[in-house]
Amino acid sequence: MSIRSIYTRQMKTDSLPHVLILGGGFGGLWATRALASAPVHITLVDRTNHHLFQPLLYQVATAGLSAPDIAAPLRHILRKQKNATVLLAEVIAIEPDTKKIRLEKNEIAYDYLIVATGASHAYFGHEEWETHAPGLKTLEDAFAIRERILSAFEAAEREDDPALRAQWLNFVVVGGGPTGVELAGTLAEIARHTLPQEFRRCDPRNAQIHLLEAGPRVLAAMPESLSLSARKQLERLGVIVHTGDAVTNIDADGVTLAKTRIDSRTVLWAAGVAASTLGQQLGEPLDRAGRVKVQADLSLGNHPEIFVAGDLASVMQTNGQPVPGTAPAAKQMGAHVASMIRARLSNKPASAFNYRDYGNLATIGRMAAVVDLGKLKFSGLFAWWFWLVAHLFFLIGFRNRLVVLMDWAWSYWTYQRNARIIGSDRDK
Amino acid sequence: MSIRSIYTRQMKTDSLPHVLILGGGFGGLWATRALASAPVHITLVDRTNHHLFQPLLYQVATAGLSAPDIAAPLRHILRKQKNATVLLAEVIAIEPDTKKIRLEKNEIAYDYLIVATGASHAYFGHEEWETHAPGLKTLEDAFAIRERILSAFEAAEREDDPALRAQWLNFVVVGGGPTGVELAGTLAEIARHTLPQEFRRCDPRNAQIHLLEAGPRVLAAMPESLSLSARKQLERLGVIVHTGDAVTNIDADGVTLAKTRIDSRTVLWAAGVAASTLGQQLGEPLDRAGRVKVQADLSLGNHPEIFVAGDLASVMQTNGQPVPGTAPAAKQMGAHVASMIRARLSNKPASAFNYRDYGNLATIGRMAAVVDLGKLKFSGLFAWWFWLVAHLFFLIGFRNRLVVLMDWAWSYWTYQRNARIIGSDRDK
């Protein structure tokens, strides 16, 4: 390209409005894509280089899939979208009054800002529990949990004292939502099917998997009949389900509940969610989980050029229920924000975000799942197949789908999990 | 199983000689397997839980393969070998006089000991270079290098100053052996083919890849004609090869050589090798690289019940050359040690280890490699295919082979590399 044409291109680009998008999750990425043909230039900033297919993150944590199966570089996904630039950077501050954000070294000015930085796990004011009970939101979290689970079985094999060995074979998952249920079900499968013939001194089948839920039932977002079915399926897999008992303390040796105590060296946290702290810099009211209360069109009351999409947004559905913090909701919000920006650019009126609920799935383990499609509810083997096909379908990128399908088929037939890696710098 | 049968089994096992093997690399794992039907019980101790197919480690470091493709849990590999127990543990000390080793918490007594703890990279007394120029021996090393390479391109994309941007696009590989050549060739491919269309502000094709070799030629273990061919193939891929110039200093901004200076933010170390420090505890003379000088049958002069196999052993071939530190040599030593233990058990005489050299391969990049089979030497496309088939053949486990083949085919057609993951806790 000649210098002249670069110059022309630069000029042309610079006269277009600049849409700055923070976060390459479902909200941010779907907004970016929906602006592909809009007369804007887009900068997508994320602190990792990849889009993560979070619904399958628990499979990385339980050694069933490897990281590249569910993570693709954002700039690779967007390579053909010429109006989008991807930057790997940490956002230090948002300055709505001067329409700028600050990175470590640079500032970036925007005409429109989409904040889609999502949520992380939270400990309800007990941050000291994090050391003993890691949560699951990023790939690093998944690797840490994978290492903890596998190392516990290794420690049991090394241990000579039967009491201590039993402690190493006790696993506790705190939180009976979808992630907690998935983790507990998969742990039971690993203990009963994947590992037994490989150990000589301890028997992984003696492992106890406890799932703790403070509320009255697991999968509280589902209809009661499916919660009940999920509990039965979990128990059939060998999970011990505790409901209606709240965690009062977590230490290195186990979990204390209001009514009981469980000794365990491996506690996993799947209970609380807190919105990204960037939301606090927008000058708008927040809800209890730190989510930003947005207008009906997902913009901010004081700054109509700023939008919030995904888990960070607090929005109500027409039925008075909050829009759930799920991948489909984040995608829909991303697309809506993009259409609002298009509308502004052509002086068309804004419209309210309208969440379309296509249903609710949760997997539990091998051939066990529950599906709620509104009128249609089912569970068990067919639900599991439904879950599997749906997740494969939504997984980004043809190659990922193929590899994941192969990994699943392999695990299904052999009961093996192929990402069982523990490193040598475990003590770091 | 009844208490009685456990008791009987325990009795029977305990009366058998105990073979303790340290290290689950090629030496240790091949020794374990070769003792499958011997009247012994075996304990294999490693500080990771996996056997690593080290010849392909550079592909994990360059984001072509993911870790599970080349690493399989030792206890899974050995699940059917009932006389073998695998322990994940760090060896603190070897005590030849009392025939024991010490782990962090326990001791293990042995009748025969096989030390196969291999080698790591070394900085020839300049350990301070490690921060700026990481080496490649473990999966952790590979992840660290992968992150450094990908982050450099990201930093270049973020950078506004053209001089600093150029510095981020300069890559230096120190050491012109097989690993250095593989890394440099792959880096050139990434810069020229994988990344260009994905960046908007910097052009990855401007990247400079420097390969530094202090000696007169790359791949010094190969015949001179193949070294020459390798250099030409590297240069065709775009690598700048420097020979006969020694590194005198490495800092955060680049590398100083006797004759020149290269500014670079990404320096990779593929130069020195030092044997595992456990060798020092055996009370035998060591060679310059810290390898243990063993008897002709690979046992120790003062302790005939101790054997050394793999990269830690210093052994001469009948032609007066040292046995090379390669995977085939380690496998052969492992098998030889196992047969020596079998011979002892049946009072047969020991025999000298005899290294069989089946040839020497090195890959350089896409369709570029050199092969030395003694009388037959060739390079280029056919050598590359030969290398590919040979490595697939030796890769452990059917699933790994299939997945690696798929990954390679995918990369070949699309120029893409699917393990391009950078995490969010880069600063830790």
Side-chain angles (χ1 to χ4, degrees), chain B residues 281-319:
Chain B
Q281 305 191 15
L282 298 175
E284 297 283 326
L286 306 177
D287 72 4
R288 271 202 315 164
R291 283 183 295 242
V292 181
K293 292 188 176 173
V294 292
Q295 305 296 305
D297 69 346
L298 304 180
S299 71
L300 299 190
N302 295 321
H303 286 283
E305 75 282 4
I306 301 181
F307 296 85
V308 181
D311 286 4
L312 182 60
S314 173
V315 205
M316 287 297 156
Q317 298 181 50
T318 42
N319 65 7

Side-chain angles (χ1 to χ4, degrees), chain A residues 75 88 154 158 399 407, chain B residues 75 88 158 399 407:
Chain A
R75 54 175 82 258
L88 170 70
E154 297 292 338
R158 257 193 325 263
R399 183 196 163 276
D407 276 353
Chain B
R75 55 175 82 257
L88 170 70
R158 257 194 324 263
R399 183 197 164 276
D407 276 352

Side-chain angles (χ1 to χ4, degrees), chain A residues 354-373:
Chain A
N354 180 21
Y355 171 61
R356 295 194 60 177
D357 186 353
Y358 292 103
N360 207 346
L361 323 182
T363 185
I364 295 159
R366 197 180 190 74
M367 297 184 277
V370 288
V371 173
D372 171 22
L373 301 177

Side-chain angles (χ1 to χ4, degrees), chain A residues 9 47-50 65-69 71-73 75-90 103-106 138-140 143 146-147 150-151 153-154 157-160 168 194-195 197-201 265 398-400 402-403 406-407 410 416-428, chain B residues 9 47-50 65-69 71-73 75-90 103-106 138-140 143 146-147 150-151 153-154 157-160 164 168 194-195 197-201 265 398-400 402-403 406-407 410 416-427:
Chain A
R9 187 170 146 237
R47 61 178 166 182
T48 76
N49 75 332
H50 52 269
L65 293 176
S66 64
D69 290 348
R75 54 175 82 258
H76 183 63
I77 298 173
L78 295 169
R79 67 195 180 282
K80 288 179 184 155
Q81 188 174 332
K82 295 299 177 197
N83 71 345
T85 301
V86 176
L87 279 191
L88 170 70
E90 179 97 37
L103 307 178
E104 218 172 283
K105 289 186 177 173
N106 344 32
T138 66
L139 278 177
E140 278 82 20
F143 293 142
R146 184 199 283 178
E147 187 131 336
L150 298 175
S151 298
F153 287 102
E154 297 292 338
E157 179 80 346
R158 257 193 325 263
E159 185 59 60
D160 296 320
W168 279 116
T194 307
L195 299 181
Q197 64 166 336
E198 302 186 12
F199 285 74
R200 303 285 182 263
R201 292 156 51 100
R265 297 295 190 104
F398 169 73
R399 183 196 163 276
N400 283 1
L402 203 70
V403 174
M406 233 178 81
D407 276 353
W410 176 267
Q416 283 313 315
R417 310 185 72 79
N418 57 65
R420 282 170 45 200
I421 310 287
I422 308 180
S424 56
D425 52 356
R426 287 186 308 289
D427 304 328
K428 263 197 227 163
Chain B
R9 187 169 147 241
R47 61 178 165 182
T48 76
N49 75 332
H50 51 270
L65 293 176
S66 63
D69 289 349
R75 55 175 82 257
H76 183 65
I77 297 172
L78 295 169
R79 67 195 180 281
K80 288 180 184 154
Q81 187 174 332
K82 294 298 176 196
N83 72 344
T85 301
V86 176
L87 279 190
L88 170 70
E90 179 96 37
L103 307 178
E104 218 172 283
K105 288 187 179 173
N106 343 33
T138 66
L139 278 178
E140 277 83 18
F143 293 142
R146 184 199 282 178
E147 186 130 337
L150 298 175
S151 298
F153 287 102
E154 296 293 338
E157 179 81 346
R158 257 194 324 263
E159 185 58 61
D160 296 319
L164 291 175
W168 279 117
T194 307
L195 299 182
Q197 65 167 334
E198 301 185 12
F199 286 74
R200 303 285 184 261
R201 293 156 51 100
R265 297 294 189 105
F398 169 74
R399 183 197 164 276
N400 282 1
L402 203 70
V403 174
M406 232 178 83
D407 276 352
W410 176 267
Q416 283 312 317
R417 310 185 73 77
N418 56 65
R420 283 168 47 199
I421 309 288
I422 307 180
S424 56
D425 53 355
R426 287 187 307 289
D427 303 328

Side-chain angles (χ1 to χ4, degrees), chain A residues 263-280:
Chain A
D263 287 339
S264 163
R265 297 295 190 104
T266 314
V267 183
L268 308 179
W269 185 260
V273 164
S276 152
T277 52
L278 280 179
Q280 298 164 9

